[in-house]
Amino acid sequence: YVDAEGTEVIPAVYASATPFSEGLAAVRRRALLGYIDADGDLRIEPRFEYALPFSGGVAGVRLEDGDWAFIDTSGKVAFDLRFDWIYGSFRDGLAEVLVDGEVGWIDRSGDWVWEPSK
């Protein structure tokens, strides 16, 4: 990571890195993703195959068991819903998810706004 003047502010020690969102950026170490803060400190240990940007205090990740879930900024699962796929971060307070081949939408508290359907 570099600042606006091109000065390195976080050393390039990761295989890949994403832009910061809500103060955290996903970084890849070996085959797994975790999150660093703006100082370059590892805030969430790399343990995810996929990791989306934070939005509204949560981020979609693929867990070790292959399910997708949303985590909070401490790395804990935010609510007890599991998904086959998360299509992206929350937009306008909603996230599109896939469960058993059906698409649904949840709000930021993990409540269904539209139950999964084809």
Side-chain angles (χ1 to χ4, degrees), residues 16-81:
S16 66
T18 66
F20 281 89
S21 62
E22 298 189 3
L24 297 173
V27 293
R28 184 175 300 280
R29 184 168 49 185
R30 296 183 185 87
L32 299 175
L33 290 154
Y35 292 86
I36 61 170
D37 62 22
D39 293 324
D41 297 325
L42 199 57
R43 291 275 304 275
I44 301 172
E45 286 291 325
R47 64 179 192 271
F48 310 111
E49 184 178 353
Y50 297 102
L52 300 173
F54 273 87
S55 174
V58 296
V61 295
R62 187 164 182 196
L63 302 170
E64 295 90 351
D65 63 8
D67 285 345
W68 283 78
F70 286 94
I71 60 167
D72 62 22
T73 57
S74 73
K76 295 179 184 172
V77 173
F79 32 84
D80 277 341
L81 293 175

Side-chain angles (χ1 to χ4, degrees), residues 8 12-15 20 26 47 56 61 65-66 74 78 80 95 97 102 106-107 109 113:
E8 182 179 85
V13 296
Y14 299 103
F20 281 89
R47 64 179 192 271
V61 295
D65 63 8
S74 73
D80 277 341
V97 297
E102 298 182 346
I106 61 169
D107 65 19
S109 62
V113 176

